[in-house]
Amino acid sequence: MTKIADSTVRRLSLYLSYLEGVEREGRDTISSAELAGLGGTTSAQVRKDLSLFGSFGKRGLGYSVEELARHLRDILGLERTYRVAVVGAGKLGSALAQYRAFGDRGFAIVSVYDSDPERIGKRWNGLQIKDTALLDEDLRSSGLDIAILTTPPEVAQAEADRLVRGGVKGIMNFTSVRLEVPEHVAVKNVNMALELQALSYALRHAHGGEI
Amino acid sequence: MTKIADSTVRRLSLYLSYLEGVEREGRDTISSAELAGLGGTTSAQVRKDLSLFGSFGKRGLGYSVEELARHLRDILGLERTYRVAVVGAGKLGSALAQYRAFGDRGFAIVSVYDSDPERIGKRWNGLQIKDTALLDEDLRSSGLDIAILTTPPEVAQAEADRLVRGGVKGIMNFTSVRLEVPEHVAVKNVNMALELQALSYALRHAHGGEI
DNA sequence: GGATGTGAATGTCTTCACAGCT
DNA sequence: AGCTGTGAAGACATTCACATCC
C-alpha cells in the first residue's frame, strides 16, 4: 500500500472519534458532508481520505456508521490491545499512566518505571512503580508494544536503547531529546513547550483559528 | 506578511531549541547544514524557513548563533512573558501546571482553577487551586494571555466561552471537544489519544522513523 | 435524487541548483 | 572556497466537478 500522509492518519482518528459519538446516539448512516462538519474539513477531503483504503460508502446513502467505524479501527490498528509502559514516573508520567482515554482505546498501561528510589514502590490506581533496573528482565519475560518516555533528557536515549533492545516497536517521546532508533522503530515526538510556542506565534501574528 | 505554515513554525521552534544547546557550548556560528542535521531536515529547508522572515546569515560563514536565536525568539513571540492559567486541575492539569519547560520559556502559570470542592484550596508548588467561579472576576482584574484547558469534556465549551469573554487570546485545548471560538482566538488542539493512534497506525503498517 | 468515488486542476510545501556575497 | 538566499522544478496535498451507482 502506498505511503499515507501523517495528516491523513490524524484525520482518520478524528473521524473515528466522531463516528463513535454518532454511534452512541444510535444513528445508522452518515454522509461525508456531516463527518466533515464535525471534523472541520470538507466532504471531498473525507471521501478522498477514505478512498485511499477502499470504498466503504453507498452512493446516494452515505456510510454505515458502525461499519465505517470498524473499518477505521482496523486501518488504525485499534482492533487489538497494546501493552504499554510508562518510563519515567514524574508528574507527566504519572498523569499519562492514569489517563483514561488510553485504556478506553485499547492502550493498556501495564507498568510504570522510574529509577528514583523515592518513587519506586509507590502505587497509583493499582500500578506500582518499578525500578527501571527491572526493565530488561520484564521486557524479556512479558514483552511490550509501546513505551511512553517521560524521563529527564539525560537518560532518555539510554532508556530508549534499552526499550528497543527489548523489542519495543513504538515510542511516544515526551522528552526534548531527538531519539536515535533503528529504522523499524516508530517514534512519535510530543513536545508541549513547542505546542505553546506555536500558539505564541499565532498570538503574535494575530492569526486566530485552529493550529 | 504572508501566511506561514504551521509546519514551518514548528521547525523554527526546533531550530531555536537546538541553537540554545549550541549556544551553551559556546559556539559562535552555525551553518544551515548543521542546524538541519540536528533537526532532522535539510539545509535548504532551514534556509527557506529562515528566509521567509529575513536574511539572517552571512554567505560563506553561516549564522551567528546568538543573533539567530534572538531573531527566532522575536519571530515566535518569546521575548515577552505570557500569563497562563490552567483550567481543570485533574492529573493532567496538575502535571502541566508544574511543568518546568513552560516557565523556562516565558509561559508563567499564574493560576489553576477547578470546580471540584475536593480540589479547591489545595496547593501545588505555591499555586493554590481556585474555584472556577472566580475566573470571570480574575480575568477582569488581572487578565490572562493563554489558557490551558484540561477540564472534562462536558464543561469544556462553557469554560472556553468564559475565557474568551474574559479576553484570553489563545487556548491550548487538551479536551476531546472541538471548541467553537471567535475568529480572533487561536486554539491549539492537543490530543494524546490521537497521537497514540497515529503511532498504532505506524506499527500496523510497519513504518518506522519519526511521525 | 442524492451522495459516493475519483481523475483533473489547483494550491501548498519541499527540494534542487546556482548566482551572489563574504 | 564556502555557505547563504532564492527563483524554478518537483513532489505532495487539497479541492473541484462530475460520471457513477444506490
Side-chain angles (χ1 to χ4, degrees):
Chain A
M1 173 165 306
T2 162
K3 178 72 162 20
I4 302 295
D6 185 43
S7 51
T8 304
V9 175
R10 301 174 71 84
R11 281 193 302 269
L12 294 176
S13 276
L14 282 177
Y15 302 156
L16 176 56
S17 76
Y18 295 125
L19 281 176
E20 291 177 339
V22 167
E23 204 168 18
R24 262 176 256 121
E25 291 168 13
R27 295 273 308 284
D28 276 3
T29 62
I30 191 167
S31 68
S32 58
E34 191 178 348
L35 210 38
L38 297 170
T41 178
T42 66
S43 63
Q45 180 78 78
V46 171
R47 295 198 300 276
K48 184 67 94 179
D49 287 342
L50 297 176
S51 77
L52 296 170
F53 296 91
S55 35
F56 307 129
K58 288 212 193 343
R59 294 170 196 233
L61 255 174
Y63 301 87
S64 150
V65 170
E66 189 254 330
E67 188 191 321
L68 183 55
R70 207 170 48 233
H71 278 300
L72 287 176
R73 275 187 218 102
D74 179 44
I75 291 165
L76 294 168
L78 302 175
E79 298 284 25
R80 51 162 299 193
T81 297
Y82 291 91
R83 290 173 57 82
V84 182
V86 173
V87 179
K91 298 273 160 41
L92 187 57
S94 149
L96 294 172
Q98 299 172 76
Y99 197 48
R100 287 290 243 53
F102 290 165
D104 293 350
R105 295 230 153 266
F107 298 95
I109 311 285
V110 296
S111 40
V112 185
Y113 296 91
D114 203 295
S115 56
D116 180 347
E118 285 277 310
R119 288 178 184 157
I120 294 167
K122 283 205 174 131
R123 290 197 153 275
W124 297 324
N125 286 8
L127 275 174
Q128 190 167 27
I129 303 176
K130 298 179 177 184
D131 190 332
T132 317
L134 301 173
L135 193 45
D136 288 301
E137 173 63 24
D138 285 2
L139 283 164
R140 207 171 309 118
S141 62
S142 47
L144 216 58
D145 303 301
I146 294 173
I148 295 178
L149 193 66
T150 55
T151 63
E154 305 84 65
V155 299
Q157 183 64 55
E159 295 299 355
D161 292 344
R162 196 207 299 256
L163 289 161
V164 168
R165 275 200 309 277
V168 165
K169 290 290 178 296
I171 299 178
M172 197 172 181
N173 177 28
F174 284 85
T175 77
S176 56
V177 177
R178 249 174 66 86
L179 299 176
E180 301 279 348
V181 297
E183 269 222 351
H184 65 277
V185 176
V187 175
K188 169 85 227 174
N189 292 307
V190 182
N191 184 332
M192 308 279 196
L194 186 145
E195 307 297 341
L196 256 184
Q197 289 177 40
L199 195 52
S200 163
Y201 177 89
L203 299 191
R204 174 118 160 47
H205 295 77
H207 306 148
E210 291 180 14
I211 308 178
Chain B
M1 173 166 304
T2 161
K3 176 73 163 19
I4 302 295
D6 184 43
S7 51
T8 304
V9 175
R10 301 175 70 84
R11 282 195 301 271
L12 294 176
S13 275
L14 282 177
Y15 302 156
L16 176 57
S17 77
Y18 295 124
L19 281 176
E20 290 177 340
V22 167
E23 204 168 19
R24 261 175 257 121
E25 291 168 12
R27 295 271 308 284
D28 275 2
T29 62
I30 190 168
S31 68
S32 57
E34 192 179 349
L35 209 38
L38 297 170
T41 180
T42 66
S43 63
Q45 181 78 76
V46 172
R47 296 198 300 278
K48 184 66 91 177
D49 286 342
L50 297 176
S51 77
L52 296 170
F53 296 92
S55 36
F56 307 128
K58 288 210 193 346
R59 295 168 195 235
L61 255 174
Y63 301 87
S64 151
V65 171
E66 189 254 330
E67 187 190 322
L68 183 55
R70 206 170 48 233
H71 279 298
L72 287 176
R73 273 187 220 102
D74 178 44
I75 291 165
L76 293 169
L78 301 175
E79 298 284 23
R80 51 163 297 192
T81 297
Y82 291 90
R83 292 173 56 82
V84 181
V86 173
V87 179
K91 301 272 160 45
L92 187 58
S94 147
L96 295 171
Q98 300 172 75
Y99 197 46
R100 284 289 242 51
F102 290 164
D104 293 351
R105 295 233 153 265
F107 299 95
I109 311 284
V110 295
S111 38
V112 185
Y113 295 92
D114 203 295
S115 57
D116 180 348
E118 285 278 307
R119 290 179 183 154
I120 294 167
K122 283 203 173 135
R123 291 197 153 277
W124 298 325
N125 286 7
L127 275 175
Q128 190 166 28
I129 302 176
K130 299 183 182 179
D131 189 332
T132 317
L134 302 171
L135 192 46
D136 287 301
E137 174 62 26
D138 284 4
L139 283 164
R140 206 169 312 119
S141 62
S142 47
L144 215 58
D145 303 300
I146 293 173
I148 296 178
L149 192 65
T150 55
T151 63
E154 305 83 64
V155 299
Q157 182 64 56
E159 294 300 354
D161 292 344
R162 197 208 298 256
L163 289 161
V164 169
R165 274 200 310 276
V168 165
K169 290 290 177 294
I171 299 178
M172 197 174 183
N173 177 27
F174 284 85
T175 76
S176 55
V177 177
R178 250 175 64 84
L179 300 175
E180 300 279 349
V181 297
E183 269 224 350
H184 66 277
V185 176
V187 175
K188 169 83 227 175
N189 292 307
V190 182
N191 184 332
M192 309 279 194
L194 186 145
E195 308 296 342
L196 256 185
Q197 289 178 37
L199 195 52
S200 163
Y201 177 88
L203 299 192
R204 174 114 159 52
H205 296 76
H207 306 150
E210 291 179 15
I211 308 177

